Amino acid sequence: MSEPLVIVGNGMAAARLVDELVQTALGRYAIAVIGEEPRLAYNRVLLSSVLAGETASHDIELKPAAWWRDRGVTLKYGCRVTAVDVGRRELKIAGDESVEFSRLVLATGSSPLRLNVPGADLLGVHTFRDSRDVDLLLALAARKKPVVVIGGGLLGLEAAYGLAKAGTSVTLLHLMDRLMERQLDVPAADLLKSLVERKGIAVLLNANTARICGTTRVEGVELSDGRRIEADAVVLAAGIRPNTQLASDAGMTVNRGIVVDDRLKASAEGIYALGECAEHRGVCYGLVEPAYEQARVLAQQLAGRNAIYQGSVVATNLKVSGVSVFSAGDFQGEEGSEAIVLDDIRRGTYKKLVISEGRLVGAVLIGDVGDALWYLELIRARKAIAAIRKDMMFGRSVALAAKAA
Ligand SMILES: Cc1cc2nc3c(=O)[nH]c(=O)nc-3n(C[C@H](O)[C@H](O)[C@H](O)COP(=O)(O)OP(=O)(O)OC[C@H]3O[C@@H](n4cnc5c(N)ncnc54)[C@H](O)[C@@H]3O)c2cc1C
């Protein structure tokens, strides 16, 4: 008989894990996926395109209903798991139903951080995490009233872009002195800011939100330096927090995320975690690629093979507010490293390659990202680059042709 394997969360990591599992361990498990969102797993990354009106919400499903059915996966969606009983091997679902498991995978993702300032609970304060949020933001955009977006990372920029594209007047507030400071150096962030401003988005840096003003509804935002921005709504995009409550209530080890070892095992027997809710070697990733790498390893483990996960070299390769951005590895450049830089602000292009001990160790690209995956490959493979160094900046084809000549 197949062993009952339950996955909590029906997001991107869960869908990829099932995809890997049906290839590696077909028939070994009776798989059930329980997810809180009331729809089939979808590509969360594409929520930005849905908000920008470039993709329809029903087009972002990762797999059609028939795919899940044909592989014998039991899907329960619109169901929140409220407790895990490790000893009795049982889950509780809101509404008092319980589900038994032999092995359990937690793939519960993250939640947006709520700001700890007065007014954060007012009507008109939104977040940007799931398709229900996007429905609300689209309704907000249709009203064309001024909106403040708090947070100048990827999500804040995407929310600002989507709303501005729909004709809303948007002010983006960022606490730090540059946008996307965890992915971009100062010149790249400055260029991104000017490209974003060209789309009609007002960007305020060093902007520390002191309170969200209003009595029942949002009327504006006040900064700690006294500035006030009038607004009808606020979108909070100031970070995420891994969803760890189930694991911590069940007595598993949790730091920022659910602590897992190199086999993606949590601290309780037969229980695993992956994706944004997991913490591996002290790192919680907030991107899809690491979740997919973890899914591959966990599927191998569950199939009885000896795979291990050693962490991911994180790369950001995306369109931010319509601008192509890539960042990977040590893009700042540690002491002793060298940088090759091409800075063409008028054409909206910036490229920086960081080299250390004869290897490419980091890169930032804005505008022209055509060679991003090649640079990423070089960084990951830690290949010696002496033979291509002088032409590397001009891309793969130029560098390899020059090397062959
Ligand atoms: C708008 C947006 C744009 C993004 N763009 C990019 C990008 O360009 N590149 C990139 O790499 N990453 C991007 N990300 C991040 C990426 O989407 C996540 O890294 C990825 O979805 C993580 O997968 P996950 O399965 O761990 O979490 P999720 O996809 O969030 O799935 C977790 C699921 O678990 C469910 N859940 C939680 N608790 C429970 C419970 N108790 N019971 C039942 N179900 C539960 C949640 O409802 C959710 O559906 C973006 C995210 C957003 C929101």
Side-chain angles (χ1 to χ4, degrees), residues 34 39 119 132 174 252 258 260 262 278 305 308 344 403:
I34 307 174
R39 60 178 291 188
R132 294 165 293 192
H174 192 46
M252 286 174 242
I258 303 166
V260 294
D262 289 357
R305 301 186 195 139
I308 63 163
D344 187 351
K403 185 183 168 196

Side-chain angles (χ1 to χ4, degrees), residues 47 115 162 170 175 242 257 281 283 316 387 389:
L47 287 179
L115 274 194
V170 182
L175 183 61
R281 298 189 188 176
V283 182
T316 308
R389 179 181 163 135

Side-chain angles (χ1 to χ4, degrees), residues 8-13 34-37 44-45 47-48 79-81 107-109 128-129 154-155 243 246 275-276 286-288 318:
V8 181
N10 187 24
M12 298 190 73
I34 307 174
E36 188 186 9
E37 288 185 71
R44 196 171 301 283
V45 171
L47 287 179
S48 305
C79 295
R80 178 173 182 75
V81 174
T108 47
F128 184 27
R129 178 72 196 178
L154 164 70
L155 288 189
N243 291 326
L246 282 178
E276 281 191 359
L287 294 167
V288 176
L318 30 95

Side-chain angles (χ1 to χ4, degrees), residues 36-37 42 44 47 80 108-116 120-121 125-134 136-137 149-151 155-156 159 182 234-244 256 276-277 286:
E36 188 186 9
E37 288 185 71
Y42 57 87
R44 196 171 301 283
L47 287 179
R80 178 173 182 75
T108 47
S110 303
S111 298
L113 278 179
R114 304 295 302 193
L115 274 194
N116 194 13
D121 293 328
V125 177
H126 300 272
T127 52
F128 184 27
R129 178 72 196 178
D130 61 30
S131 58
R132 294 165 293 192
D133 293 335
V134 171
L136 288 170
L137 293 181
V149 175
I150 301 179
L155 288 189
R182 276 184 292 164
V234 167
V235 180
L236 294 179
I240 52 173
R241 186 190 313 108
N243 291 326
T244 57
R256 189 172 140 68
E276 281 191 359
C277 67

